[in-house]
Amino acid sequence: MAIFDGLGPDDETPLFVISVAAELAGMHAQTLRQYDRLGLVSPSRTRGGGRRYSPRDVTQLREVQRLSQEEGISLAGIQRILELENQVEALRARVGELAKALDRAEAERGRRIFAVGSGGDAVMLRPGQRPRHHRSQALVVWEPRA
């Protein structure tokens, strides 16, 4: 659940001091400090070193608490889950970037299709074209294992 919907700051904008973030997440401020030390939720810092939590950070704090209390997952396990979720998010973003780049390339050069030729090499074809087949002189011997 996002704290802000519509106009105004986005989910990444650091807005809350630790006491407000703790209240929004339903935790003690010391718990937030511990999670920061462990790297579970890393808020932004002011020039003076004070923590500033974004709405996304508060949402993540709630998820850490849920995984710990309702699912019984250790903090080390939660840290691994969050790392994997971040990797998946980064990979999805990269796939999106590559798909857009591919769409642009296809639009610029026309559509290209590739197939495996008779020699095992990749061959480029035009839409509707089929690869040429050569009759093989290879002999395949199959022997069942006893």
Side-chain angles (χ1 to χ4, degrees), residues 21-103:
E23 187 175 333
L24 289 170
M27 300 177 182
H28 192 278
Q30 195 60 34
T31 305
L32 274 65
R33 288 183 186 94
Q34 179 185 8
Y35 288 174
D36 186 13
R37 279 192 300 276
L38 295 172
L40 293 173
V41 178
S42 299
S44 298
R45 298 284 184 151
T46 64
R47 288 184 190 168
R51 293 171 174 89
R52 291 294 183 270
Y53 290 84
S54 69
R56 183 175 189 257
D57 293 331
V58 173
T59 301
Q60 192 165 354
L61 286 166
R62 290 177 181 163
E63 180 64 7
V64 169
Q65 184 178 42
R66 186 192 70 77
L67 289 170
S68 176
Q69 292 178 356
E70 294 177 19
E71 303 294 332
I73 300 173
S74 70
L75 293 180
I78 293 170
Q79 186 171 21
R80 185 66 180 139
I81 289 169
L82 295 175
E83 288 170 0
L84 291 172
E85 286 178 348
N86 289 337
Q87 285 180 0
V88 167
E89 187 176 321
L91 290 170
R92 283 186 178 144
R94 184 65 178 138
V95 166
E97 291 170 6
L98 292 172
K100 287 178 185 176
L102 181 61
D103 288 344

Side-chain angles (χ1 to χ4, degrees), residues 114-117 119-125:
F114 294 90
V116 177
D121 53 330
V123 294
M124 188 172 69
L125 305 172

